[in-house]
Amino acid sequence: MTNIQFAKRLQPLKSNVFADMDRAKAVALAAGRELIDLSLGSSDLPAEAHVLEAIAQSLGDRTTHGYLLFNGTFGFREAAANWYEQKFGIKVDPQTEVLPLIGSQEGTAHLPLAILNPGDFALLLDPGYPSHAGGVYLASGQIYPMPLLAENGFLPVFADIPAPVLAQSRMMVLSYPHNPTAAIAPLSFFQEAVAFCQQHNLVLVHDFPYVDLVFQETREWADSSVNSKSLVPSILQADPEKSVSIEFFTLSKSYNMGGFRIGYAIGNAQLINALRQIKAAVDFNQYRGILNGAIAALTGPQAGVKSAVITFQRRRDAFINALHRIGWNVPTPEATMYIWAKLPSPWSENSVEFCTQLVKQTGVAVSPGAGFGKSGEGYVRFALVHEPPLLEIAVERMAEFLH
């Protein structure tokens, strides 16, 4: 057999938290375990009927069956720009400041190719979403992990970044509400981040998939002087001139369209154009019917978004109460579809082994904190993608495993 030589950039991509748990789940299923999968943040809720109808009507239109180039996406870009302006009070030019994406993950993974030269640093959250690191590795960049600690509200401390690293850094990636910790960040933090990135000539990237999954008791973070219909701020509220910032939004969480793979980048026109150049070399846009569905989602009734938030809040409360009943005292998150739980002894420094043994012995699959970065060790992430009765059964199984 020919000895194929692969690029060195593949080495750090060999380990992936979701792929590792997939293998562990397969072993449990093969052993006859009944699986309760809380490891993947893929919403189990359906897309709204008016969204599906817009896609269905597109199928019979033969003009939607060909390649879709950038100019053909203007209707979607306009809907995205209007959505942002209504939600955050930020003016957006749909022609130069919006780019359709195949989910926000495509954007966060490809943007480093437009910003980093080999050896340049990217400042990433630790723990953080795996594709943020993957994109840096594909661009042959280096990663400086910014530790997120409970005592700091899971926010990075910019003053702790070493000067030599800053001198080689080209970009910073933030994401609040945060996956996996479920932390939220105030507008003042984003203002600090914008000032820091302006001072050090960094591109500021904000991955923003959980903008709507914020629970009603959460206090209003945005400054009262900003016209905001959101409980959490956009990075563009801290950088309304879009001097250094680009933000990524996906319809996967707010509109339960994960499988449709539709999102967009919004922000600095130069960054949007650079990402568009990368995208043009990789793919065309997705099927026009999906964009029509996304337009319907952004411009149509928003009752489904509110319903999803209520559903996840109800699940959160049921799961947290069940954990507390078995003596696992976990803080109640203010946002996202996740619970970030500190592991009890003797698992407090071995989240991977905990998750592997848990699914093997009980069929309950969760994500190890170490899979999201070094600072995630000692934690696990639960995704609330089932109804309360099944979530409570999962906790009962975990109670037996822990005792």
Side-chain angles (χ1 to χ4, degrees):
M1 183 176 178
T2 304
N3 184 22
I4 300 173
Q5 300 295 313
F6 291 99
K8 293 178 181 178
R9 67 176 60 89
L10 284 183
Q11 291 299 319
L13 303 180
K14 285 186 175 180
S15 179
N16 177 284
V17 60
F18 303 122
D20 293 346
M21 283 312 301
D22 262 354
R23 285 189 287 271
K25 286 183 283 188
V27 171
L29 284 170
R33 292 286 180 196
E34 181 186 3
L35 202 65
I36 302 178
D37 193 352
L38 309 180
S39 66
L40 190 63
S42 178
S43 176
D44 59 313
L45 304 179
E48 289 293 292
H50 66 279
V51 173
L52 299 178
E53 179 61 24
I55 297 171
Q57 288 185 358
S58 303
L59 293 173
D61 179 359
R62 61 185 294 175
T63 66
T64 70
H65 296 180
Y67 290 127
L68 180 61
L69 301 181
F70 180 76
N71 286 337
T73 69
F74 182 78
F76 172 71
R77 287 182 278 126
E78 187 174 42
N82 290 338
W83 186 88
Y84 245 79
E85 183 173 349
Q86 292 168 12
K87 200 173 192 72
F88 299 109
I90 302 293
K91 285 279 189 183
V92 176
D93 183 349
Q95 194 64 265
T96 62
E97 296 179 336
V98 183
L99 182 69
L101 297 170
I102 306 174
S104 63
Q105 180 164 323
E106 180 214 340
T108 57
H110 282 158
L111 185 64
L113 292 169
I115 296 173
L116 301 179
N117 289 312
D120 286 341
F121 271 97
L123 311 174
L124 304 188
L125 300 180
D126 175 20
Y129 191 65
S131 77
H132 299 166
V136 175
Y137 289 132
L138 288 176
S140 299
Q142 299 186 75
I143 290 171
Y144 178 80
M146 299 184 291
L148 305 184
L149 306 178
E151 54 262 37
N152 297 326
F154 296 109
L155 300 176
V157 179
F158 302 140
D160 291 344
I161 302 169
V165 170
L166 267 179
Q168 287 182 259
S169 297
R170 298 285 303 279
M171 65 187 291
M172 175 190 289
V173 181
L174 302 176
S175 183
Y176 291 95
H178 185 240
N179 177 14
T181 70
I184 56 179
L187 182 60
S188 58
F189 168 79
F190 286 121
Q191 290 167 335
E192 179 189 354
V194 168
F196 184 85
C197 290
Q198 289 171 335
Q199 179 185 353
H200 296 285
N201 198 27
L202 303 174
V203 170
L204 180 51
V205 181
H206 187 228
D207 197 7
F208 203 23
Y210 300 98
V211 53
D212 289 308
L213 286 189
V214 184
F215 304 120
Q216 294 306 305
E217 74 273 13
T218 299
R219 63 183 179 271
E220 189 88 26
W221 282 116
D223 188 288
S224 59
S225 65
V226 178
N227 174 26
S228 173
K229 294 182 180 178
S230 174
L231 292 174
V232 289
S234 160
I235 198 68
L236 301 184
Q237 289 176 283
D239 186 14
E241 301 301 318
K242 309 179 190 77
S243 62
V244 294
S245 304
I246 185 171
E247 192 157 70
F248 292 96
F249 177 72
T250 174
L251 281 77
S252 297
K253 312 302 182 183
S254 298
Y255 298 100
N256 306 313
M257 295 179 68
F260 295 92
R261 307 311 304 136
I262 176 67
Y264 58 85
I266 195 163
N268 178 279
Q270 291 177 291
L271 293 173
I272 292 292
N273 186 59
L275 183 56
R276 180 181 167 189
Q277 289 177 274
I278 298 294
K279 184 175 176 62
V282 175
D283 61 51
F284 290 102
N285 296 285
Q286 55 273 71
Y287 171 55
R288 186 189 296 272
I290 292 175
L291 268 68
N292 290 342
I295 292 169
L298 294 172
T299 62
Q302 300 297 297
V305 178
K306 295 178 182 178
S307 176
V309 173
I310 292 169
T311 296
F312 282 110
Q313 184 169 355
R314 181 166 44 84
R315 293 176 180 183
R316 176 204 65 176
D317 292 344
F319 194 74
I320 288 287
N321 289 337
L323 287 177
H324 288 178
R325 285 197 298 271
I326 70 169
W328 195 344
N329 293 316
V330 174
T332 302
E334 296 179 282
T336 78
M337 58 172 65
Y338 306 115
I339 305 293
W340 185 241
K342 195 167 182 60
L343 281 167
S345 231
W347 305 99
S348 55
E349 293 301 324
N350 200 340
S351 59
V352 173
E353 184 65 15
F354 172 85
C355 294
T356 303
Q357 290 302 318
L358 180 68
V359 72
K360 180 180 179 181
Q361 296 182 37
T362 72
V364 176
V366 302
S367 292
F372 297 95
K374 183 180 178 182
S375 295
E377 183 56 280
Y379 290 84
V380 290
R381 191 198 73 176
F382 301 101
L384 303 174
V385 293
H386 296 289
E387 287 298 299
L390 199 55
L391 292 175
E392 290 173 354
I393 291 172
V395 174
E396 290 171 7
R397 293 189 190 177
M398 288 192 291
E400 296 174 8
F401 175 78
L402 290 169
H403 297 101

